[in-house]
Amino acid sequence: MTALHTLRLDGDALTLVLAWSGDAVPGLAYLGATLPADEDLAALAGALQRGRHESQADAPQPATIWPQTGRGWLGPAAADLRRGDRALDVDLQTVAARAEGRALTVELADAAAGVAVRLDWRIGAGDMLVVRATLTNVGDVPLAIDACAALALPLPVWATRITDLSGRWSGEMRAAAGDLARGAWVKESRGGRPGFSGAQWLLVGEPEADADRGRLLAAHLAWSGDHVTRIERDNDSVALATMGARLDAGEIVLAPGTAYETPAALVALSTAGRNGIRCAFHRHLRAEVLPGRADWGPRKVHLNSWEALGFDLDTASAIALAERAAAIGVERFVLDDGWFGRRRDDSSSLGDWTPDPQRFPGGLAPLIDRVHALGMDFGLWVEPEMVSPDSDLYRAHPDWCLHAPGRARPAQRNQLVLDLARPEVGDHTFAALDALLRAHPIAYLKWDHNRELFPRAGKGHAQIRALHALLDRLRAAHPAVEIESCASGGGRIDAAMLARCHRVWPSDNNDPLERLRLNASYSLFLPREVLGNHVGPDPNPITGRVTGIDFRARVAMFGHMGVEADPASMSAWERERLAAHIALYKAWRDVIHEGLEWELTPGKGAHGSLFIAPSGARAIGFAAQTGFAADYDLPPLRLTGLDPSARYRVTLPEPWPRKARRYLADPDGWRAGRTLSGRALAESGLALPLAHPETAWLIALEKVA
Ligand code: GLA
């Protein structure tokens, strides 16, 4: 009988147990709520062992945390390796395994194949599992890595349903649930960024799991390039998930003695439905990923020039827009595309990062001075990884773009991609941005990325490493500058960018109905303070939908709020309402951005969220109806997630939705406030008029001593 080994890790409310026989690769014996400290782990693992059945290898191979095919495992392998032109069969065995505090390391080796793998699993803030692998060539000839998972996770038997989160430009993160069938579910991105396919997000769980009940597992890969995420469920319904950076063949070839370290994969387990996943991811990102998060001040209200002025910018029009922005309470004016080179549309000038001498004859200083005089700070749009064929940079260095020598240079949005991994290109790009930031008091950069990487000539991976190095260098030189990651909206949202950025642009689509959906999906992983949410123009330029200012503003409040419309195109009344909501955002942003987010279940077609301050003393709720409800009187909105024994004074902050206010039974009662226990709020609730399309209510709660 071979010895059974176990390793245990404990988080705040989580236990992980690995188990393996002899020198086999460990399997996952347990991942769930904290086990008693004296649990007999050998008994736990032994109770799960199965005997051999017909048509299996003589020594059946269970799913492990580093699956490999040589001994009869027929599921996906963690890595595809080659020496020269031949696939390399590896038979890694456990040579060491140890746990210390909240981290464990498993070392695997196959001396004959010349391969060693180290698996690092740690429980971080928010009880997040942070997992990565390091693969070393211990042989004496080069080793090619064609695929290498950061995470291989045998799925618990209860994880039979998957929520797919993919989309397209202006329609990101469409959630669609389905059963995990036998066979493979695979998501790949191939455009040199996570893209819109959702390959960087994984959400699986029990079919019954909902907003606050049931078991769910969510995973994310902290990588800004191509991804591959796969779940394979075999004929016996054993399911295994793998996640890793997608590599081009021949791109990673390890010289003897060198190693490839995968990006980190983040894995959260919830026993409280989607809210448990939110809680884990938000806590983790805030504590361990977002740069200097503890020192962030209030998230300033933006006005971005894109939807107001497009490319039609000059000093005078930008100043006039800034003045209108300041008048409604905006705190940061962001000059979007169109300020540099000779850019009048998207056909030129990327790479020429100096102000257009015709439209900004005095440079940016007159505009920035005016913005400052208006009490706002200044932000600027850049797209540093790109070059337009019609640019001074391209004319000077036509070989600086990613291209296959002697072949066509296919463009997207009339632009090419700089080969950032070339040191002179990286240095030039840094110098251009550094010069801008030295010359001007710029508080914020909107860092855009509007095309996929092709052809890549096997450089996709190096490009991302170079991008991260560029961002790190810039941040070290200008630590106070905030950076937003945008890629035609949400084309590059991942924890590796978020380790270097302060917010993301989730979508070019500012339509509030779309934003409700987008925020529900993104907020599974990202806290609201990093989700740029703007009040867009009316009608919406992408969907054509007409929506009221109150609804647009209330939806935008629940993110990092901004305005991406021209206040001059609004009526005086609309500007007044917008200003009132900006003021409300300022009053509540600390709670929305630091608090615990709790998804509510207001009824069919409606959305609801509650944000509870870390102290528990205040909370702000939001309930919105999108369509025309089937029932005139929706069930009372139950506010879950509060302290059941505490008492809260509940008011409905004004301005109230115009149509729905008529149906409030006792407006003065809501103005004065009603005091209810957390238990009553969760079990009984509030009867809000939510029948009409595009109605949104705010609910303010203050804990009563
Ligand atoms: C991308 C961004 C937009 C805007 C334009 C400017 O599409 O997603 O927000 O900045 O570029 O060209």
Side-chain angles (χ1 to χ4, degrees):
M1 180 82 188
T2 37
L4 184 70
H5 307 279
T6 56
L7 262 188
R8 169 177 180 154
L9 274 189
D10 283 287
D12 295 334
L14 182 82
T15 299
L16 166 87
V17 180
L18 299 183
W20 66 103
S21 302
D23 58 6
V25 176
L28 188 64
Y30 182 81
L31 178 61
T34 304
L35 291 173
D38 60 355
E39 188 77 50
D40 179 340
L41 302 181
L44 174 95
L48 292 171
Q49 277 181 335
R50 294 183 190 275
R52 178 185 174 278
H53 58 72
E54 287 72 14
S55 192
Q56 274 190 322
D58 288 349
Q61 298 299 301
T64 69
I65 59 167
W66 192 260
Q68 47 189 355
T69 51
R71 294 191 183 197
W73 163 255
L74 300 179
D80 293 333
L81 306 176
R82 249 184 318 118
R83 292 227 190 253
D85 56 4
R86 294 188 77 84
L88 181 69
D89 276 329
V90 284
D91 188 12
L92 291 155
Q93 291 163 18
T94 301
V95 292
R98 57 192 172 274
E100 208 183 308
R102 293 194 166 197
L104 66 79
T105 301
V106 175
E107 288 179 32
L108 311 173
D110 177 349
V115 177
V117 172
R118 202 185 71 224
L119 304 174
D120 290 297
W121 290 49
R122 138 180 111 75
I123 301 183
D127 266 357
M128 183 71 73
L129 280 171
V130 183
V131 178
R132 68 168 93 230
T134 309
L135 195 148
T136 306
N137 179 8
V138 292
D140 45 22
V141 290
L143 174 71
I145 304 183
D146 290 341
C148 184
L151 168 76
L153 186 73
L155 293 184
V157 288
W158 46 259
T160 59
R161 202 154 165 84
I162 183 162
T163 301
D164 182 277
L165 292 161
S166 52
R168 59 175 171 85
W169 172 74
S170 272
E172 295 85 343
M173 296 292 268
R174 223 161 259 285
D179 290 333
L180 266 177
R182 290 202 170 98
W185 175 94
V186 186
K187 271 288 155 80
E188 291 195 36
S189 57
R190 303 200 182 93
R193 57 187 193 184
F196 301 116
S197 70
Q200 75 273 45
W201 315 112
L202 186 66
L203 182 64
V204 292
E206 294 181 301
E208 310 76 38
D210 61 16
D212 42 26
R213 282 168 314 180
R215 289 182 288 186
L216 289 171
L217 258 178
H220 167 68
L221 186 72
W223 180 241
S224 316
D226 283 338
H227 291 234
V228 54
T229 297
R230 161 187 291 266
I231 296 178
E232 274 199 42
R233 195 161 181 222
D234 72 13
N235 293 341
D236 292 320
S237 284
V238 173
L240 186 123
T242 54
M243 252 187 155
R246 199 188 67 77
L247 305 174
D248 287 334
E251 189 178 13
I252 306 265
V253 180
L254 298 180
T258 62
Y260 166 70
E261 185 179 282
T262 68
L266 308 179
V267 184
L269 170 84
S270 168
T271 52
R274 293 189 289 274
N275 285 325
I277 296 294
R278 280 194 174 85
C279 183
F281 267 91
H282 296 188
R283 277 202 186 136
H284 185 76
L285 292 182
R286 285 171 175 168
E288 292 192 15
V289 176
L290 296 169
R293 174 68 188 90
D295 303 324
W296 289 6
R299 308 295 272 153
K300 296 191 171 181
V301 181
H302 285 193
L303 184 132
N304 178 297
S305 65
W306 179 242
E307 297 292 1
L309 301 177
F311 289 105
D312 197 11
L313 298 164
D314 58 19
T315 304
S317 62
I319 285 181
L321 182 63
E323 287 170 348
R324 296 194 284 275
I328 54 171
V330 167
E331 299 163 302
R332 176 178 290 154
F333 180 79
V334 181
L335 190 64
D336 207 278
D337 198 351
W339 60 269
F340 51 91
R342 302 204 185 293
R343 190 150 163 107
R344 302 296 150 89
D345 53 33
D346 64 12
S347 67
S348 83
S349 303
L350 295 172
D352 299 342
W353 300 114
T354 48
D356 179 338
Q358 280 172 14
R359 303 206 283 186
F360 293 88
L364 293 177
L367 169 62
I368 298 180
D369 288 349
R370 184 68 188 127
V371 165
H372 285 172
L374 290 164
M376 299 186 289
D377 66 24
F378 180 76
L380 192 64
W381 181 95
V382 285
E383 196 176 354
E385 297 149 84
M386 302 294 163
V387 61
S388 308
D390 179 6
S391 66
D392 293 343
L393 180 66
Y394 189 78
R395 282 182 281 273
H397 300 285
D399 61 326
W400 276 13
C401 63
L402 283 175
H403 65 283
R407 309 292 283 265
R409 298 180 177 194
Q412 180 175 331
R413 209 191 189 205
N414 306 306
Q415 62 199 55
L416 301 167
V417 185
L418 288 172
D419 185 353
L420 279 188
R422 286 176 59 170
E424 66 276 29
V425 182
D427 286 348
H428 170 88
T429 310
F430 170 78
L433 294 167
D434 181 59
L436 260 182
L437 296 177
R438 279 184 200 285
H440 304 290
I442 294 172
Y444 161 95
L445 287 178
K446 175 175 174 182
W447 183 300
D448 213 336
H449 183 277
N450 284 313
R451 66 156 282 172
E452 267 94 20
L453 272 52
F454 55 84
R456 289 202 293 258
K459 288 180 166 177
H461 195 263
Q463 181 79 3
I464 302 307
R465 296 271 189 229
L467 163 69
H468 290 162
L470 174 63
L471 278 162
D472 291 344
R473 192 172 167 193
L474 199 72
R475 291 202 53 252
H478 303 278
V481 175
E482 284 179 32
I483 300 178
E484 172 181 69
S485 170
C486 171
S488 308
R492 189 165 65 187
I493 298 184
D494 64 85
M497 285 307 277
L498 280 169
R500 299 166 168 92
C501 296
H502 302 74
R503 79 173 212 166
V504 296
W505 185 230
S507 180
D508 280 355
N509 196 337
N510 289 316
D511 180 314
L513 277 99
E514 283 295 302
R515 281 289 172 145
L516 280 175
R517 183 187 63 68
L518 285 158
N519 287 341
S521 292
Y522 277 120
S523 71
L524 286 165
F525 301 95
L526 307 180
R528 299 280 177 142
E529 65 268 28
V530 303
L531 292 174
N533 264 258
H534 292 179
V535 176
D538 196 39
N540 182 278
I542 286 170
T543 64
R545 188 155 31 213
V546 171
T547 49
I549 189 70
D550 285 353
F551 190 65
R552 272 180 282 151
R554 245 167 250 159
V555 172
M557 276 179 64
F558 291 89
H560 181 178
M561 188 180 191
V563 178
E564 196 152 337
D566 191 342
S569 67
M570 301 174 191
S571 68
W573 178 83
E574 285 173 322
R575 277 195 296 275
E576 211 176 279
R577 302 290 277 210
L578 178 53
H581 283 96
I582 287 174
L584 275 171
Y585 164 80
K586 290 176 183 171
W588 286 98
R589 63 184 155 190
D590 59 327
V591 178
I592 299 166
H593 295 161
E594 287 157 30
L596 174 78
E597 174 172 354
W598 207 256
E599 179 185 336
L600 306 175
T601 45
K604 211 164 185 305
H607 289 248
S609 306
L610 184 67
F611 297 81
I612 306 165
S615 67
R618 299 164 73 217
I620 178 95
F622 168 78
Q625 174 62 258
T626 54
F628 189 45
D631 297 323
Y632 222 88
D633 294 321
L634 250 65
L637 176 71
R638 297 184 306 106
L639 301 180
T640 45
L642 293 161
D643 174 358
S645 57
R647 296 166 75 78
Y648 299 87
R649 195 173 77 89
V650 185
T651 53
L652 302 178
E654 293 175 85
W656 290 337
R658 271 209 292 188
K659 189 157 175 63
R661 61 184 298 169
R662 286 198 275 138
Y663 303 99
L664 272 185
D666 173 19
D668 288 339
W670 288 116
R671 283 195 183 97
R674 301 187 146 82
T675 300
L676 291 149
S677 70
R679 172 92 61 211
L681 286 162
E683 299 295 333
S684 175
L686 316 173
L688 298 177
L690 269 171
H692 291 98
E694 295 155 36
T695 300
W697 291 96
L698 302 175
I699 304 130
L701 297 111
E702 315 258 352
K703 203 174 194 171
V704 180

